[in-house]
């Protein structure tokens, strides 16, 4: 058994005074952003707070400590651009990085959208180098996109100033048989965590990437 220390919102704000934190990714990042804000608000309910929305970024600033917490919503980290042929997922491009790199803490997440197909797929073509394809092996695409992200961190982020965190890979949560609940169609009505130290369905293959 582990005994984690209870989160102390006041201590968090004091230790990170003057810092800028940004979550970057899909709904997993949004959930973490919202959860952190709720924890901090519970700790300092009377704090002076300002909010700002700009393009893909929402920011909440705790004025008394100068701590800003932002979320930048992007499903793939790499770019999707509208071109004449349609929406192109560019595996070697991260133009949004200019918005991210000057933060003090960057918390990244991506994975679950790489296997979206049909109406929920937000791109029409995928580009690697000069090649534009209608589709490709999604795990290969994920590996190439994440390699682009890693190279961007190495080349563009000053890690003496900025802490970079990758949240890891979230398991799919749409098919109950994956966690030994065959009748469940998603995890929306589950009330208890899976018991044990391993996931019944095993680790996502994306962890290898």
């Amino acid at each position: 058994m582990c005994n984690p220390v209870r989160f102390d919102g006041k201590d968090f704000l004091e230790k990170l005074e003057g810092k800028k934190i940004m979550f970057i990714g899909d709904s997993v990042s949004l959930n973490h952003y919202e959860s952190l804000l709720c924890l901090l608000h519970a700790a300092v309910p009377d704090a002076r707070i300002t909010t700002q929305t700009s393009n893909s970024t929402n920011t909440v600033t705790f004025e008394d400590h100068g701590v800003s917490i932002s979320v930048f919503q992007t499903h793939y980290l790499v770019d999707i651009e509208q071109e004449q042929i349609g929406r192109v997922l560019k595996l070697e491009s991260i133009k949004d990085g200019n918005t991210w790199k000057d933060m003090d803490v960057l918390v990244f997440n991506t994975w679950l959208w790489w296997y979206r197909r049909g109406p929920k797929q937000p791109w029409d073509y995928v580009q690697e180098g000069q090649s534009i394809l209608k589709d490709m092996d999604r795990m290969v695409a994920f590996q190439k996109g994440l390699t682009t992200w890693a190279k961007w961190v190495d080349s563009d982020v000053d890690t003496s100033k900025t802490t970079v965190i990758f949240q890891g890979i979230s398991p799919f949560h749409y098919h109950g048989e994956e966690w030994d609940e065959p009748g469940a169609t998603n995890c929306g009505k589950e009330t208890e965590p899976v018991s044990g130290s391993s996931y019944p369905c095993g680790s996502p293959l994306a962890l290898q990437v």
Side-chain angles (χ1 to χ4, degrees), residues 5 24 50 66 106 111 147 157 161 167 186:
V5 177
I24 301 160
T50 58
L106 295 171
W111 166 236
T147 298
V157 179
K161 170 186 180 294
Q167 284 183 250
N186 61 53

Side-chain angles (χ1 to χ4, degrees), residues 77-129:
L77 302 184
V78 292
D79 297 331
I80 297 176
E81 295 187 7
Q82 182 68 47
E83 300 189 351
Q84 284 188 337
I85 59 172
R87 302 163 300 174
V88 181
L89 174 63
K90 295 179 175 284
L91 297 179
E92 298 177 349
S93 176
I94 300 186
K95 292 181 180 177
D96 289 327
N98 290 328
T99 304
W100 313 335
K101 63 183 181 181
D102 292 327
M103 298 288 152
D104 296 289
V105 181
L106 295 171
V107 186
F108 290 94
N109 160 71
T110 184
W111 166 236
L112 292 177
W113 278 75
W114 287 85
Y115 268 82
R116 294 282 177 120
R117 301 179 187 273
K120 292 186 177 181
Q121 177 184 301
W123 51 269
D124 306 302
Y125 296 89
V126 57
Q127 180 174 355
E128 180 191 4

Side-chain angles (χ1 to χ4, degrees), residues 126-206:
V126 57
Q127 180 174 355
E128 180 191 4
Q130 298 302 310
S131 299
I132 297 179
L133 308 170
K134 189 62 181 173
D135 207 344
M136 68 186 300
D137 182 295
R138 298 303 179 86
M139 192 67 72
V140 172
F142 174 65
Q143 186 270 332
K144 293 180 181 295
L146 209 58
T147 298
T148 295
W149 166 81
K151 289 179 178 177
W152 172 82
V153 171
D154 287 341
S155 63
D156 283 38
V157 179
D158 180 0
T159 52
S160 67
K161 170 186 180 294
T162 302
T163 298
V164 179
I165 299 166
F166 189 81
Q167 284 183 250
I169 302 300
S170 174
F172 284 114
H173 46 266
Y174 307 114
H175 307 293
E177 61 268 15
E178 295 185 356
W179 61 89
D180 294 336
E181 293 283 349
T185 56
N186 61 53
C187 61
K189 295 182 180 180
E190 299 294 331
T191 59
E192 296 181 3
V194 174
S195 61
S197 59
S198 62
Y199 190 54
C201 191
S203 299
L205 291 175

